[in-house]
Every structure is written in structure tokens, then in C-alpha cells.
Amino acid sequence: MLSSVQNPRILLLHCRWSKPLHHHHRHYPKAIHAAAQAQAISTSSPTSQIQIIQKSIHSREKTARQFAEEFINRLRLTEPHVKSFLHVSETVLNEADEIDRKIDRNEDVGPLAGVLVAVKDNICTADMPSTAGSKILENYRPPFDATAVRKLKESGAIIVGKTNLDEFGMGSTTEGSAYQVTANPWNLECVPGGSSGGSAAAVSARQCVVSLGSDTGGSVRQPASFCGVVGLKPTYGRVSRFGLVAYASSLDVIGCFGSSVADAGILLQSVCGHDKLDATSSKREVIDFTSQFVAKDYLESQPLKGLRVGVIRETLGDGVDQEVVLSIRGAISHMEELGCIVTEVSLPSFSLGLPAYYVLASSESSSNLSRYDGIRYGNQIVSDELSSLYGGSRANGLGPEVKRRILMGTYALSAGYYDAYYKRAQQVRTVVQKSFKAALDEHDILISPAAPSAAYKIGEKKNDPLAMYAGDIMTVNVNLAGLPALVLPCGFVQNGLPVGVQMIGAAFDEEKLLRVGHIFEQTLQGRLAQHLHLLINEMNVDPSISDRRLRRPQGCTPMMKSRHYTIEEWDTKPIRKIPSLVDLCVQKAVDNVRYLGDVGETDFHLLERFLPHCTVEQLMHIEDSTEDRDLSPVTDKLWKNFYVLQFGANSTNVVVERMKEKRVSFKWRQLYEAKVKDNEEAQQKSFERIKQLYKKENAKKQSRQVQLCTKVPPSTNKRGFWGGGPSSNIGNTKSGIMKKAKLEFLNSREVKNLSAMKKTNFQNNQRVSPIIKKPSHFPGKSSSTPSSSKFSTATSTARRF
Amino acid sequence: MGSRALLVLAPAFLSESILLNHISRTGFHQLLTQNEKRVRVRGRNYSIHSNLERPDVTRLAETARISLSPQEAEEFAPKIQQVVDWFGQLQDVDLQSIEPAIRADTEAGSFREDSPETFENRDAIIAAVPSYEAPYIKVPKVLNKD
């Protein structure tokens, strides 16, 4: 089952078009491109964007401003669809300039210089609003930066904006925000997960390099899984919570998102450490996580040899989507190939963690959120009595889910119930902590899915709190135990949405998690790239074979073999029509052809399948963006098609014959562009001529009487030539003159040409606009593509001009 | 206490029968759906239905200082009841002699010295106050006439 172990990011680099909103009319930064290309050839592994940016700006290959502009432009284009930001900074480019100036002066700029970081809106920033997604804090500007934000700034990072979240972090879909619903960049109809959905979607749509989130019960890891990015929840106490809007203080941690494990690790490195403003922050010395991110080429054949991996049995049972289970099994078999010793481990208290978590989180939130009374900050209602001012401001400012949790927490903490709920939940926490500790004594890391399903549709679980709470089963126990966990993409479900695997480590052992995660993601890519190439080659021989091959088990362990069919079995079994991975990729590309830029090293066979869906402008943009690579083997045919459609078959034949005659050959794109240019020049000339004639006519008219205009023919007559043209707006007197002039031109050849030209122009304009629409302009069957013979006559007339 | 923790980690068949006898091997799904039934059937000392009152949303809202409209209270009640019932499964677990954990063990421990410091950005704090009349934060009258 290849698709089950497919790392979503293979699509980013190997076939970079897969991410729908990745880049629109922008090139990948050259350095990123070059590095990505090098990677694509050897491994196709996700690269550290932070490292690339550092290298480029220090070698002055590219400026911080150039990087910032690329991200900001992409942000502007994608934000109307994704809606991941509640506030976008206006000073990003100035800050980037400042970094460039510092580099010019050889000053120290810090390890995150020029890196655009998005920050979840429940983390305080003094220079931007911090609303925590709640109306009660609308427009609230904290008087201080959170410690994590301060550290980011000290490291040279540029805060690009504040990302959307479920109000106060209470939710698993980001639909609970009081301001907007964020969409999953992989499928805009799906939720990005939550509560840090905005931060995950922003990284996934490449609106920023990395982002900060917060994780109380899985709020970093579940959205990371849904959005196909890397999410890191550090050990409780690793990162200072000072400035993090408190939800459940015994569980909250600030976490990191990145598009590679290395990025998440580098981000953690710069925000972690003891802070005297947070008594729960650990005084442990922070070791350097970042030095261990070795390139894939330096790895041994079994780089994780001897690593003891425990698969949590309870996380792969009933209630977990089978496709998710398959992805995780695929990830497990990959880890075995890397030399890990994989065994199952049972945590019987696992399912108790969920109610215990919700008791603790609700109780603590009812206490923590009592500060929002509308007196010292936040929205206040008008009232003549204090307690109704409290009640009204809170009723007005807090959303329904927040109110419910406060009420549940108030109930659990009421006199007489404390022992039954809060204390019991704390006892369960002890059990969970001990069971994890024992399991981690036996194993180096534990493995589970990050969520029981892939992303679901927006609105699907909105009215069923228990269904939404159940989605947190995979993650809450880790918060109860305070352990670090890393989520990284490991596969897909059939509808093309990513699945993440969760790796849980011992307390304060982020180093091991990051090392294992890095090796996992680097090697998974390489192996799959090989498979994909193999498949693409086969596809051209016989599609049915590749179809079967796609679903053949890859490197299964004996434990899992029973779940799979062998290739012989497939021959006899009725094959369910499942789109192959390649089909999914191609479909994604076709759907999002408008966002394509640099196609990198994407295989020609793949290009052949989706490039025909481009319009002229899109194809031109793709070719121009793709550096150091000639796409003409695929695109030449397409350009010929365009030529035929635009200028007619006759004109095309003439060109072909002329080339034969003179024994030269041109690329069809050059021919097309030359022809368009010719036409434009001819147009220009004819317009100028007509303009002069108008001038002459005007001069004549001014000396005559205006009454002449009574001789104008019925207006229907001229419609045929002028349509809704510019002249129809001119005032009465003036239009009289114009009409007269027009009349005279009716008989002249120029006017005929002009009307033809106008048509050309009109149709050309039509062809530019569809970029923003759904790309339905497949040249072969398009209805709006000009193809009438009239058109070609018009242009050939123009050429004679 | 230590031995209890070891039991948790014993093979599934052992721990299931001894410590958490209601949890099936694969878990949470069944737990969610069957919980209510189970709580009623067993009727143990801990059962919420025997000695804990059901949540009264209006009273809770008063305690939490959230003015709820009657419609809202009506809408919230079943949802809160549903979740509180679901919390009830905690009553069914034998947790005697297990210490409650306040939070994850952070090894942090020590508090900073309690010494006053001047906060630099005082103006920003005051700017955030919705109703301010220097040097006071203004609120409506605190005492009722009656």
C-alpha cells in the first residue's frame, strides 16, 4: 500500500504543484529552488527553509527583503481562501530591510534572521492585537510581548502576523473562532484542525516559514496532521508560558510548526529555556537540537538501528479510521526498515485520559477565564450595576463553546463535587503519567496516530461536542503526562488529505524525537521517490499493472501481512476503483493549475498529464518560473495547439510549410509570441491611423455647424460595428461629431479592420481574466477559446496592415 | 502506589481485569457509547446518579458570572448534561491510594524572589482600560439600594 506511506511533502518538492495555494505567480526563491532541486534529484526530502534562508542572506545570494516579499505576496493571494490570519503585520518589509542593512554592516543578526514567523493569536504581542480568537478581547493590545515572542525577536525573526484559533484554544477545528473560519489548504472545504488551525494552515500554505501554536490537548499536533506539516509539542516546562493566554495552566505549552522537522527544531531552540516569569519553566540546560540534522546522504543504511519503538495498541483499534491505521502501519514498517525494533505496548489507562483531560481543562479554564470581566481590559457593556456588568460583558464577549466549558468547569469545581471530578481526574493523571513513564523505560519512543481521522468537512462536528472531544483521544494523554511529542506527515487517505504520525518521547528528550523524526522524513522521501518513478514508467506500459502495483504491500512486516493482498490475489479479486496516488497528484495539479509556478524536476510524464489544462498565460508563467530546465519537449505540442486555436489551421500550415521550405525549425512558443507581437504592432498602427483621421475630422467639424448630425443613420446600424464601445458614453453634441465621423469611416477599409481588431482585442482580454477562475480552459474542448475562421482572417488582415 | 502503577503496565488481560475492568482492549469508542448504560447498571458508590446532583445551568451561570438568556440556558443544558454524564466514567475507576498530580513533573520547583519591579509600559495598561478617569478605573455602583 504505497499511498499509505506516502509523505505528503513528496508532493511539495517532487511535484511541487500539489499544494493548492503554494505559489501563485511567484518563483520559489532561487536558493530554495536550487537546494530543492538538488534534493529532488537525490532524495526529494523536505529541506529546512530556515537553513536555506540563513545561507542565502549571509552569502548575499538573496536579501531578506526578497524572501519576505515572496511570502507576503503569497500570503496576499492565498489569504482570501485560507483565512488563517486575524492580523497581518504591516512592517514586515521594513524589518527585512533592517536585517539586510545589518548584514551589510556585518552585524550579528541572530539565528532566525529574516525568517517570517506567524504567531497564534493567544500569544501576546505588544505591537499587534492579541484577541485569543474571542470578541471579549477584540482589538486588545497587550502591554508586553510573551517571552517566546521576545525570544523570537531577539533571534532576528520577523513576526508576520497573528493566526486564527478556536476561541481561547477551546476546540479542535478552528470553527470556534469568533472572527472567521480557517480552511484547510489541502481542501478548502475541510477544517484545518485546531485549535492552532491558523498556524498550521499558514505554514501549509507557505504564508510564513514557521509558526508558533499552543497545545493544551493536542492543539498543535492534530492540526499539523490535518494540514500535512510538522508539529512539535515540547515537554511541559520547556518553553515559558509567560504571555500565553491561559486556558488550562497545568497542560498548556507553546509549540512549533514547520514544513520540516529541522525547522520545527530550530524554532523550538530559539524559544525554549527557563524564564523567571514562569515558575513552571524548567531550569534544565537546553542542549543544541539543531546540530543533529544531518543530510540524508550521510546516513547509514540503518540509521536508527536498535531504536526501541513502542506502538500504542489502544490507538490503532476501533474508532480509528482504517486508512489512518494503514498509514501508521506503513510508517511503522518504514521505521523497521531503518533498523528500529518495533513492539506493541498497551496503555490501558489510555481511554480514561480523555474524560480526565476534559474535567481538568474545563475546571482550570473556568478559573483562568474569570479574569475576563470587562473591567481592566476587553469589551465592556453598558450597565448601571456591577454584577450585571460582569455577567453582560462575559455573555456578550464569550462564545458558546467557551461558556459551556466554563459552566462545566464551574460544576466540576463546585463544593462537594471536587473530589468526584477534579481530584479523580488528577488521580487519573498520575496513572497516565506512570504508565507512560514505564512504557518509555522500555522504549525509546512511542508511536500513535495524531488523530483518529484525517481532516473532515467544515461544520461536520460543530454541533456535537462529544464527537469533537473524541477526536482528541490520541493527544490528550501526552498533555496529562507533560511529555514531548512530534507529529509529522506519513501518508494520505484516499481523498488526498494528509495523515500524521505522532512520536512521543521521554520528558525533556526533544533531541531524540527530532533526530528520529528528521531521519524518518528524510528517508521516507527517498524511498518513495524511487517507487513513484517506477510507477510512472509502468504507467506508460500498461495502466492496469501500475494500478495493481500501487496497492501492493510494500515491505510489510509479518505482523501486518494478513491485512494486505498479494499481487496474485489482486488478479482474481474484483478490483475496487481507487484512484492511484499518481491520479490524485495529477488531479490536484489540474485543479490548482492556476497556482503553479516552478515545476522543478517534475517528471515529463506527469507534466504531460496536467499541463494541457493550462491557459496561455498559465503555461507561459510555468515555463518562465521553471529555472534551468527546458520544458519544451512537453510544451511544444501545447504551444502548437494554442497557435492553431489562436491563428487558425491555415496560418499554422503556412508556417509549417515555410519552415520546411527554409529548413529551419522554431519552437512553437517563439512562433506564437512572434505572431502575437506582430499582431499587436499592427493593431497599434491601425489605431494610430484612425486616431489621426479622427483628429482631422474633428478639426473639420469644429469649423462647421453642429446640425450636420441629423444625418446620422439609425443607431442599430452602428451597433454592429461598435458594440458597447467607448464612444457610446460621449455626450450629445460631441457624439454628433463622432457619429458623423464614424459614418464617413464606414466606407473605408480601415474601419473594417478596426472592427476586426476590436474583436481580437476583446478576445485577448477574455483570455487574460480566467486565471482567477477555475481552470476550465482546456484548449481541446474549451468553448471560450477563440477558434472561428473569422478570427484568423482578421489577424491575417492585420498582418497586411 | 508504586505497585498500582506497575499493574497498569502489566499485560492487557491482567490490568484489564484488575484495575480498569471496564475498558476493552481497543477502547475509547465503546467507552463513549456504552458509558451511560454501564454507570446505571453498576450503581456503585461513585456513580454520579446516586449522590451527585445534575448540573443546574442557570445556577452555574450565576456562579460563573455569565448572564444567560433562558433560551441559551435551555440550549446548553442537554449538552452540558451529556458531557457531565460522560465525565461520570471516572467514578467507576478504582483510584484509591493514588496521589493526585497537580501538573506534569517539571523539575522547576523554585519560585522567583518576590521583589517589586517597575513595569515599563504602564501607559499601555491604562490605555486598555475601557472606562478610565485618572487615576481611577471606573465601574458602576457596587452596592444595591436594597
Side-chain angles (χ1 to χ4, degrees), chain A residues 604-623:
Chain A
F604 277 131
H605 299 301
L606 282 171
L607 291 176
E608 257 173 8
R609 291 184 62 181
F610 64 83
L611 284 185
H613 297 259
C614 296
T615 62
V616 176
E617 289 76 17
Q618 287 164 353
L619 190 63
M620 206 178 281
H621 174 70
I622 288 170
E623 280 201 286

Side-chain angles (χ1 to χ4, degrees), chain A residues 5-9 186 224-225 227-231 258-259 261 331 487-491 498-501 520-521 524-525:
Chain A
V5 287
Q6 169 70 30
N7 187 322
R9 278 160 307 158
W186 286 79
S225 172
C227 292
V229 296
V230 174
S259 53
V261 174
V487 165
L488 63 163
C490 73
V499 174
V501 60
F520 180 91
E521 79 175 358
L524 187 63
Q525 303 289 338

Side-chain angles (χ1 to χ4, degrees), chain A residues 181-226:
Chain A
V181 176
T182 300
N184 188 320
W186 286 79
N187 180 343
L188 296 176
E189 289 172 6
C190 289
V191 297
S195 62
S196 311
S199 295
V203 171
S204 180
R206 297 293 183 276
Q207 296 174 320
C208 58
V209 184
V210 287
S211 63
L212 285 186
S214 70
D215 193 316
T216 306
S219 290
V220 163
R221 289 159 289 156
Q222 183 250 25
S225 172
F226 281 13

Side-chain angles (χ1 to χ4, degrees), chain A residues 495-506:
Chain A
N495 61 10
L497 290 167
V499 174
V501 60
Q502 175 176 227
M503 300 177 179
I504 304 161

Side-chain angles (χ1 to χ4, degrees), chain A residues 16-24 81 185-189 494-497 579 582-596 606 609-615 618 622 770-778 781:
Chain A
R16 243 177 280 151
W17 28 260
S18 75
K19 216 65 172 272
L21 302 165
H22 262 186
H23 38 111
H24 185 309
H81 307 277
W186 286 79
N187 180 343
L188 296 176
E189 289 172 6
Q494 295 293 358
N495 61 10
L497 290 167
V582 178
D583 292 339
L584 283 175
C585 297
V586 169
Q587 194 49 50
K588 267 262 161 357
V590 170
D591 288 348
N592 297 287
V593 85
R594 62 192 186 282
Y595 300 115
L596 284 188
L606 282 171
R609 291 184 62 181
F610 64 83
L611 284 185
H613 297 259
C614 296
T615 62
Q618 287 164 353
I622 288 170
I771 301 174
I772 37 164
K773 290 191 210 146
K774 264 259 167 197
S776 59
H777 298 268
F778 184 63
K781 56 187 175 190

Side-chain angles (χ1 to χ4, degrees), chain B residues 4-51:
Chain B
R4 187 70 69 185
L6 279 178
L7 275 179
V8 177
L9 294 158
F13 61 89
L14 251 185
S15 52
E16 258 168 31
S17 54
I18 298 175
L19 183 64
L20 305 162
N21 50 5
H22 63 286
I23 302 173
S24 74
R25 276 179 165 232
T26 51
F28 76 96
H29 188 70
Q30 291 167 3
L31 200 66
L32 276 177
T33 51
Q34 295 175 357
N35 168 49
E36 207 173 329
K37 214 187 299 166
R38 199 192 55 247
V39 171
R40 282 197 188 119
V41 171
R42 299 237 172 120
R44 286 224 214 136
N45 280 347
Y46 292 120
S47 170
I48 47 164
H49 297 281
S50 57
N51 61 357

Side-chain angles (χ1 to χ4, degrees), chain A residues 105-162:
Chain A
R105 295 193 299 256
N106 279 326
E107 283 175 35
D108 183 25
V109 285
L112 290 182
V115 173
L116 268 65
V117 185
V119 175
K120 191 176 177 180
D121 205 32
N122 64 349
I123 300 174
C124 287
T125 44
D127 48 1
M128 288 180 220
S130 304
T131 68
S134 179
K135 283 280 179 213
I136 207 162
L137 287 178
E138 197 169 12
N139 298 321
Y140 172 63
R141 273 169 198 266
F144 55 83
D145 275 333
T147 301
V149 172
R150 179 178 56 80
K151 288 191 170 192
L152 282 179
K153 288 181 176 169
E154 285 166 4
S155 308
I158 300 170
I159 311 294
V160 61
K162 304 300 291 288

